[in-house]
């Protein structure tokens, strides 16, 4: 899985729609494949007339989303692309690019002079959650959390409230994810895959968390017990259990399939 920051300029040659459509030059194609988790960014305000369309005059982050389908731009002669944006969630307030004098993004030494020229910037999973960790919770629903954040107390919480913007999304409480990982661990419960063991320190601690019963099937906000309702799965197993829209495989059935085909 990839993570990136995507820039939305106040003035653009493309007719983008925030949270719906995003155009980008072909040189960024490898950074924005379908499924990439992205954070929206705006640079410093240059024209006062755009001030009321922004959360801040300073460089800041203002939303989180994912890259959907990526297609060639039929009107481009340079091979530019455009992506459908899914799971768009705007922030209620700007997250400034600098905190206490330091940038939230990790700038490589060899890019100190031109880092901010890139409209699309690949970031690590740690930086992704570091930025989201600056966003305050709204109605007890946070936008992100630190991957290595552990919580000593166990609680059940409400999640899954359906909201309507451009697309329908289902709110997920990151605190429940953290509690599920604390309880179940970071190894896939279906196949035993460990990202850290396979990929090393770069992926240490990464795992996806699966809702045993999809939120979209529950009909509204319900109480989630991270011990019983959530389970850690690797990306492959998580994709397989959701492969068919009308059926979500149980972990037991997935284990059976894995055993039969081993």
């Amino acid at each position: 899985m990839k993570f990136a920051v995507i820039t939305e300029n106040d003035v653009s040659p493309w007719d983008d729609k925030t949270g719906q459509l995003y155009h980008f030059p072909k040189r960024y194609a490898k950074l924005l494949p379908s499924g990439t988790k992205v954070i929206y960014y705006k640079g410093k305000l240059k024209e006062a007339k755009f001030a009321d369309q922004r959360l801040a005059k300073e460089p800041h982050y203002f939303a989180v989303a994912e890259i959907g389908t990526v297609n060639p731009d039929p009107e481009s002669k340079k091979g530019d692309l455009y992506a459908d944006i899914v799971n768009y969630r705007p922030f209620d307030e700007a997250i400034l690019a600098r905190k206490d004098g330091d940038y939230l993004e990790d700038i490589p030494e060899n890019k100190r002079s031109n880092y901010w020229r890139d409209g699309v910037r690949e970031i690590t999973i740690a930086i992704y959650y570091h930025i989201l960790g600056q966003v305050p919770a709204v109605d007890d629903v946070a936008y992100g959390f630190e991957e290595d954040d552990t919580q000593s107390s166990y609680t059940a919480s409400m999640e899954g409230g359906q909201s309507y913007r451009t697309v329908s999304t289902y709110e997920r409480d990151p605190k429940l994810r953290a509690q599920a990982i604390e309880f179940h661990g970071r190894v896939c419960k279906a196949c035993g895959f460990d990202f850290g063991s396979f990929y090393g320190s770069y992926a240490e601690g990464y795992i996806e968390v699966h809702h045993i019963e999809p939120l979209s099937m529950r009909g509204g906000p319900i109480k989630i017990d991270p011990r019983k309702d959530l389970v850690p799965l690797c990306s492959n197993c998580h994709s397989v259990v959701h492969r068919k829209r009308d059926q979500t495989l149980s972990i037991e059935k997935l284990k059976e399939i894995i055993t039969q085909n081993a």
Side-chain angles (χ1 to χ4, degrees):
M1 181 178 295
K2 286 183 172 292
F3 301 85
V5 169
I6 58 176
T7 301
E8 180 179 271
N9 295 313
D10 292 325
V11 179
S12 171
W14 292 304
D15 185 23
D16 284 346
K17 294 179 176 61
T18 305
Q20 300 180 50
L21 201 65
Y22 186 77
H23 286 79
F24 55 93
K26 64 179 181 180
R27 67 178 180 275
Y28 296 132
K30 292 183 179 181
L31 303 184
L32 294 179
S34 179
T36 300
K37 293 184 179 294
V38 298
I39 299 177
Y40 269 88
Y41 168 86
K42 277 187 179 291
K44 185 178 181 180
L45 177 66
K46 296 181 179 180
E47 297 185 44
K49 64 181 180 180
F50 296 111
D52 61 350
Q53 300 176 26
R54 303 162 53 105
L55 293 180
K57 296 180 180 180
E58 299 83 3
H60 65 280
Y61 309 97
F62 65 93
V64 65
E66 294 178 25
I67 298 296
T69 304
V70 178
N71 299 288
D73 182 354
E75 298 186 8
S76 172
K77 297 180 180 179
K78 300 178 180 180
D80 297 333
L81 306 165
Y82 73 87
D84 294 321
I85 300 296
V86 299
N87 297 331
Y88 176 77
R89 295 188 68 191
F91 303 155
D92 285 344
E93 60 185 66
I95 302 303
L96 300 184
R98 300 182 71 167
K99 181 179 181 180
D100 299 326
D102 294 324
Y103 289 110
L104 297 184
E105 291 182 53
D106 188 11
I107 305 175
E109 192 62 38
N110 63 345
K111 289 189 176 183
R112 288 285 175 182
S113 62
N114 59 1
Y115 181 78
W116 302 101
R117 294 180 185 176
D118 287 332
V120 176
R121 303 184 293 273
E122 185 174 20
I123 56 176
T124 65
I125 184 174
I127 295 299
Y128 175 83
Y129 281 111
H130 178 54
I131 295 173
L132 292 191
Q134 312 304 312
V135 184
V138 179
D139 295 332
D140 294 328
V141 178
Y143 287 88
F145 64 95
E146 294 295 339
E147 275 290 317
D148 59 355
D149 181 30
T150 57
Q151 301 185 22
S152 57
S153 60
Y154 164 79
T155 59
S157 301
M158 300 290 288
E159 70 170 2
Q162 193 172 11
S163 59
Y164 295 91
R165 293 190 182 92
T166 302
V167 296
S168 295
T169 64
Y170 293 88
E171 294 177 351
R172 289 168 168 79
D173 187 343
K175 292 180 290 186
L176 291 176
R177 173 190 158 94
Q179 291 168 1
I181 290 174
E182 180 182 8
F183 184 80
H184 295 290
R186 298 174 183 267
V187 174
C188 178
K189 285 295 185 181
C191 71
F193 184 81
D194 184 328
F195 280 89
S197 296
F198 190 86
Y199 293 106
S201 60
Y202 183 83
E204 186 69 39
Y206 178 71
I207 193 68
E208 296 184 11
V209 172
H210 166 63
H211 287 74
I212 293 175
E213 182 179 352
L215 293 177
S216 59
M217 303 295 291
R218 302 225 181 185
I222 50 90
K223 183 170 288 188
I224 295 293
D225 184 333
R227 295 176 299 181
K228 300 177 181 178
D229 300 321
L230 304 177
V231 62
L233 291 179
C234 70
S235 305
N236 284 346
C237 287
H238 203 181
S239 296
V240 171
V241 296
H242 289 295
R243 183 173 184 271
K244 297 184 178 181
R245 291 180 178 274
D246 60 346
Q247 178 186 10
T248 299
L249 289 181
S250 68
I251 303 304
E252 290 71 23
K253 180 62 176 178
L254 182 58
K255 287 182 177 180
E256 180 181 325
I257 292 174
I258 292 172
T259 299
Q260 290 175 347
N261 292 275

